[in-house]
């Protein structure tokens, strides 16, 4: 009879801000029964299934019952470490060949401390990271009936009766039969709980003035998201994503956007902030439902690739008509050219209405001092991504931007973090490469931290670090597919810190991560879902021709005006840009990468190199006659040859390219 345990679990769930749904409670009770009969057990299942909350809830419940005087349950302490975020030597202990000195590992220290603790309290060792044949084989003697850990130094540590070894893993794809047969297994799957408990938890966190809207929020959510006719199923079956995602993470992403946008209506009286005025409360209540729709669009639809967006648009519009929330949707596209109107409008909280993205920023003028590579011309795309990044980062949420090379991910995020954030945010930039190791990453970030009090570190007081990690998915995978730098960062996300070299735990505060990466493929590996779920995903789609013409047009126009080029030459602007884009799009279509020509990868940086070459000419030497114009477009031919032609390796490709450029000069500049 588990009545007392279930009662304590309900309280524990309230403290952990999760919902005590029957499926979850069942799993916690299975975990409890397993701890009674086994000293080694594994919680297995995809991310978002509730593995972490399962053991945390049981720990809280057991401890609470023990304090209340129960004989059956005991106080429980739990220590966590990620075995893949440190080297084998740092895990078990290391023998220095040169000095013959022995240094203890994290695991050895914990085993010793826990096995020597007297008393009936339960002690759990939680290994929260991928299980593979490299490190777990050394645990074989611990997991079988000997219960002994044998170290290289000759020391043997006996596990006590109150200790339990736990492993929290996503899958057992690379675990050996020796390990699997020694452990009890508890499988947790996200589908058994669904996404409704997430909604319930989120609605409980909303400010009081949104009380009247909770039913409508729940109704819209239920009509759009779950089930076989819901948006999640539609995205999985019909559309493509830049990186694979898990349902729960997309849903949490939408909630994060919503809570970030509602941040401005929260008042903390403890900090002496004055309560909201009547007018502000009215505005907030007027904005509530449109903001909810906006968040669902940007939370659930942000991982979809460009071509899928018009279909997503139609899906949302149909749902809105069927369930009657069309009046809260963004208006249909005014220009009539685009089918992605839901991504083209922003809900302006000050004006209480939908506006186009470009209306939310000032008109742009090129800074004459800036280097060519630093010129950022705002387009509807960049404006909307920076707006969402801004809202999320200010609300302490991590953001991950995924997109092809040359779409300006790094540049825009760097610009945002360096120049357009409140003073409290200090940007820290780091780039991952294939050779980055977990220890390097740890040393770099530890070097930036200041000590706040014993065991707690962070940025200088009153500041927050916004850490931009570029090329997040570059680190090379190990034999069994783990990426140690990413496992290290995941340990920070889950447990707020990591282990220093002297095996003490360093808690870290006020750190935010903004990451950028290209879609998996080539040297880039897909990162583990258990890490990716901590981020809000933004899939940055390739620019359309219109946007590219706008960007390069702005730059060239500024160049011609500033350096006083004659009118005849500055009129060539549109022709030069469309010719360059023709070369670019045709090269992508015709010159495909093969094993022999693996470097035939063209991206938007090539276009900007051609345009940059055009801006190196001086106006003084050009006369206005055909000579000057001819000189200018010959420069264009030269730059295109240097950027594209020089990459070609076969005579066949080269002669094709020459003919194509000759054809373009005739069609665009009417000169042979």
């Amino acid at each position: 009879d588990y009545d007392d345990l279930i009662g304590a679990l309900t309280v524990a769930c309230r403290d952990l801000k999760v919902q005590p749904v029957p499926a979850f409670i069942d799993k916690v009770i299975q975990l409890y029964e397993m701890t009674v009969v086994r000293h080694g057990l594994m919680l297995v299942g995809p991310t978002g299934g509730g593995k972490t909350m399962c053991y945390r809830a049981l720990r809280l419940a057991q401890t609470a019952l023990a304090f209340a005087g129960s004989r059956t349950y005991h106080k429980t302490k739990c220590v966590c470490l990620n075995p893949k975020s440190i080297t084998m030597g740092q895990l078990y202990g290391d023998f220095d060949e040169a000095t013959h000195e022995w240094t203890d590992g994290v695991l050895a220290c914990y085993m010793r401390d826990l096995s020597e603790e007297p008393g009936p309290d339960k002690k759990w060792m939680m290994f929260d990271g991928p299980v593979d044949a490299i490190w777990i084989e050394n645990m074989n003697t611990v997991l079988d009936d000997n219960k002994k850990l044998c170290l290289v130094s000759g020391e043997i540590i006996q596990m006590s009766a109150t200790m339990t070894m736990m492993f929290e893993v996503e899958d057992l794809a690379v675990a050996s039969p020796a390990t699997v047969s020694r452990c009890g297994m508890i499988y947790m799957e996200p589908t058994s709980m669904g996404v409704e408990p997430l909604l319930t938890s989120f609605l409980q966190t909303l400010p009081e003035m949104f009380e009247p809207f909770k039913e409508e929020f729940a109704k819209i959510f239920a009509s759009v998201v779950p089930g076989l006719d819901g948006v999640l199923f539609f995205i999985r079956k019909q559309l493509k994503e830049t990186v694979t995602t898990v349902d729960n993470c997309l849903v949490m992403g939408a909630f994060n956007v919503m809570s970030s946008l509602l941040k401005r209506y929260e008042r903390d009286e403890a900090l002496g902030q004055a309560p909201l005025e009547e007018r502000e409360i009215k505005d907030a209540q007027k904005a509530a439902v449109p903001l909810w729709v906006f968040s669902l669009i940007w939370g659930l639809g942000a991982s979809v690739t460009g071509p899928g967006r018009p279909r997503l648009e139609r899906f949302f519009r149909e749902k809105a008509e069927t369930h009657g929330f069309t009046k809260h949707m963004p208006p249909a596209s005014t220009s009539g050219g685009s089918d992605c109107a839901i991504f083209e409008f922003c809900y302006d909280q000050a004006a209480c209405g939908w506006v186009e993205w470009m209306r939310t920023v000032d008109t742009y003028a090129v800074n004459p001092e800036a280097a060519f590579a630093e010129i950022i011309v705002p387009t509807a795309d960049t404006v909307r991504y920076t707006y969402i990044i801004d809202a999320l980062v200010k609300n302490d949420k991590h953001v991950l931007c995924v997109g092809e090379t040359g779409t300006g991910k790094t540049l825009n995020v760097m610009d945002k973090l360096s120049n357009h954030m409140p003073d409290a945010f200090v940007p820290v930039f780091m780039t991952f490469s294939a050779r980055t190791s977990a220890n390097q990453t740890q040393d770099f970030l530890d070097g930036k931290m200041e000590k706040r009090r014993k065991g707690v570190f962070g940025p200088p007081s009153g500041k927050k670090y916004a850490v931009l990690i570029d090329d997040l998915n570059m680190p090379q995978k190990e034999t069994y597919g783990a990426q140690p730098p990413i496992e290290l960062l995941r340990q920070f996300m889950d447990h707020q810190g990591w282990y220093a070299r002297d095996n003490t735990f360093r808690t870290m505060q006020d750190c935010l991560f903004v990451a950028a990466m290209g879609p998996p493929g080539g040297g880039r590996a897909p990162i583990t879902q258990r890490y990716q779920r901590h981020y809000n995903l933004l899939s940055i789609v390739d620019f359309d021709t219109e946007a590219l013409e706008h960007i390069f047009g702005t730059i060239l126009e500024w160049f011609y005006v500033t350096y006083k080029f004659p009118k005849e030459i500055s009129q060539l602007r549109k022709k030069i840009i469309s010719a360059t884009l023709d070369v670019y799009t045709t090269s992508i279509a015709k010159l495909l990468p093969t094993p022999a020509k693996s470097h035939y990868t063209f991206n938007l940086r090539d276009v900007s190199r051609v345009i940059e070459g055009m801006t190196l000419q001086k106006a003084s030497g050009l006369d206005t006659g055909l000579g000057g114009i001819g000189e200018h477009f010959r420069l264009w031919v030269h730059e295109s040859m240097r950027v594209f032609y020089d990459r070609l390796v076969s005579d066949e490709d080269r002669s094709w390219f020459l003919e194509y450029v000759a054809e373009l000069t005739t069609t665009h500049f009417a000169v042979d």
Side-chain angles (χ1 to χ4, degrees), residues 116-343:
E116 286 167 4
E117 270 185 35
D121 295 356
K122 296 277 181 212
K123 295 169 277 284
W124 296 347
M125 272 211 75
M126 173 57 78
F127 295 91
D128 177 5
V131 160
D132 62 34
I134 303 174
W135 70 271
I136 194 115
E137 288 298 311
N138 303 327
M139 303 279 290
N140 279 350
T141 49
V142 186
L143 294 172
D144 63 19
D145 297 343
N146 302 329
K147 295 194 180 183
K148 288 187 172 107
L149 179 66
C150 309
L151 298 172
V152 191
S153 63
E155 183 182 9
I156 294 177
I157 305 173
Q158 176 74 45
M159 200 171 147
S160 66
T162 51
M163 283 171 69
T164 307
M165 288 283 182
M166 294 192 180
F167 304 90
E168 189 184 340
V169 292
E170 191 166 12
D171 56 37
L172 295 169
V174 292
S176 63
T179 310
V180 178
S181 59
R182 284 179 168 89
C183 288
M185 298 286 163
I186 298 156
Y187 181 68
M188 303 195 64
E189 53 179 353
T191 43
S192 61
M193 280 187 283
V195 289
E196 286 80 2
L198 297 175
L199 177 70
T200 320
S201 299
F202 172 70
L203 292 177
Q204 288 170 356
T205 62
L206 287 175
E208 280 170 29
M209 59 178 164
F210 295 110
E211 202 61 49
F213 298 102
K214 286 186 180 176
E215 273 184 27
E216 187 164 3
F217 284 174
K219 204 178 96 192
I220 293 179
F221 184 85
S223 65
V224 172
V225 182
L228 293 176
D229 58 345
V231 69
L232 294 170
F233 191 75
F234 178 71
I235 290 176
R236 300 277 174 264
K237 286 283 177 237
Q238 308 280 335
L239 309 176
K240 278 198 177 126
E241 295 183 294
T242 38
V243 282
T244 44
T245 53
V246 183
D247 293 358
N248 293 19
C249 314
L250 288 179
V251 173
M252 288 307 291
F255 296 162
N256 286 343
V257 174
M258 184 67 177
S259 55
S260 305
L261 295 173
L262 296 183
K263 186 89 168 176
R264 64 193 296 171
Y265 304 124
E266 283 174 24
R267 290 289 181 271
D268 190 348
E269 288 176 13
L271 295 175
Q273 296 172 332
L276 289 166
E277 301 166 16
E278 272 296 300
R279 182 184 56 80
E280 291 180 292
I281 292 181
K282 281 199 171 124
D283 279 357
Q285 294 181 330
K286 190 177 168 189
V289 185
L291 283 179
W292 181 241
V293 174
F294 178 82
S295 308
L296 289 177
I297 292 170
W298 277 99
L300 303 165
S303 67
V304 177
T305 54
R309 293 195 169 182
R311 298 179 59 184
L312 198 64
E313 156 109 0
R314 288 197 291 278
F315 179 88
F316 267 103
R317 299 255 181 233
E318 281 162 19
K319 286 283 183 209
E321 275 170 28
T322 325
H323 297 279
F325 57 93
T326 309
K327 62 176 186 292
H328 301 302
M329 289 284 284
S333 176
T334 41
S335 57
S338 162
D339 307 330
C340 300
I342 56 171
F343 289 108

Side-chain angles (χ1 to χ4, degrees), residues 568-618:
E568 294 83 1
I569 290 184
S570 53
Q571 280 171 350
L572 293 177
R573 187 184 83 225
K574 280 189 170 158
K575 294 178 177 175
I576 287 176
I577 291 169
S578 57
T580 313
L581 292 177
D582 281 352
V583 172
Y584 167 65
T585 43
T586 318
S587 300
I588 285 183
K590 286 271 200 234
L591 306 167
L592 298 171
T594 61
K597 311 170 182 173
S598 57
H599 58 285
Y600 279 24
T601 48
F602 302 98
N603 59 46
L604 290 175
R605 288 191 187 146
D606 297 319
V607 181
S608 67
R609 280 183 195 127
V610 175
I611 303 295
E612 184 175 7
M614 300 301 291
T615 61
L616 298 176
Q617 195 168 33
K618 300 276 186 290

Side-chain angles (χ1 to χ4, degrees), residues 42 100 124 134 197 222 252 409 417 449 530 566 613 653 661 671:
M42 289 195 177
H100 285 275
W124 296 347
I134 303 174
M252 288 307 291
K409 303 182 294 294
L417 295 181
M449 299 291 168
R530 294 193 64 195
D653 293 346
V661 171
V671 184

Side-chain angles (χ1 to χ4, degrees), residues 525-645:
I527 59 174
T528 155
Q529 283 298 334
R530 294 193 64 195
Y531 179 56
Q532 195 179 299
R533 77 180 189 105
H534 290 286
Y535 283 101
N536 261 44
L537 264 185
L538 280 180
S539 153
I540 298 195
V541 294
D542 285 341
F543 296 119
D544 50 8
T545 329
E546 204 177 309
L548 290 173
E549 283 171 357
H550 170 69
I551 295 172
F552 295 119
T554 312
I555 293 176
L556 276 182
E557 186 175 18
W558 161 80
F559 168 69
Y560 289 144
V561 172
T562 318
Y563 293 100
K564 303 186 176 61
F565 272 79
K567 197 174 163 198
E568 294 83 1
I569 290 184
S570 53
Q571 280 171 350
L572 293 177
R573 187 184 83 225
K574 280 189 170 158
K575 294 178 177 175
I576 287 176
I577 291 169
S578 57
T580 313
L581 292 177
D582 281 352
V583 172
Y584 167 65
T585 43
T586 318
S587 300
I588 285 183
K590 286 271 200 234
L591 306 167
L592 298 171
T594 61
K597 311 170 182 173
S598 57
H599 58 285
Y600 279 24
T601 48
F602 302 98
N603 59 46
L604 290 175
R605 288 191 187 146
D606 297 319
V607 181
S608 67
R609 280 183 195 127
V610 175
I611 303 295
E612 184 175 7
M614 300 301 291
T615 61
L616 298 176
Q617 195 168 33
K618 300 276 186 290
S620 52
L622 295 174
D623 53 2
T624 48
L626 187 64
I629 296 178
E631 225 172 288
H632 196 62
F633 95 80
R634 277 208 301 280
L635 174 67
W636 172 79
V637 175
H638 172 84
E639 291 300 327
S640 308
M641 298 289 280
R642 294 292 71 80
V643 173
F644 292 96
Y645 179 87

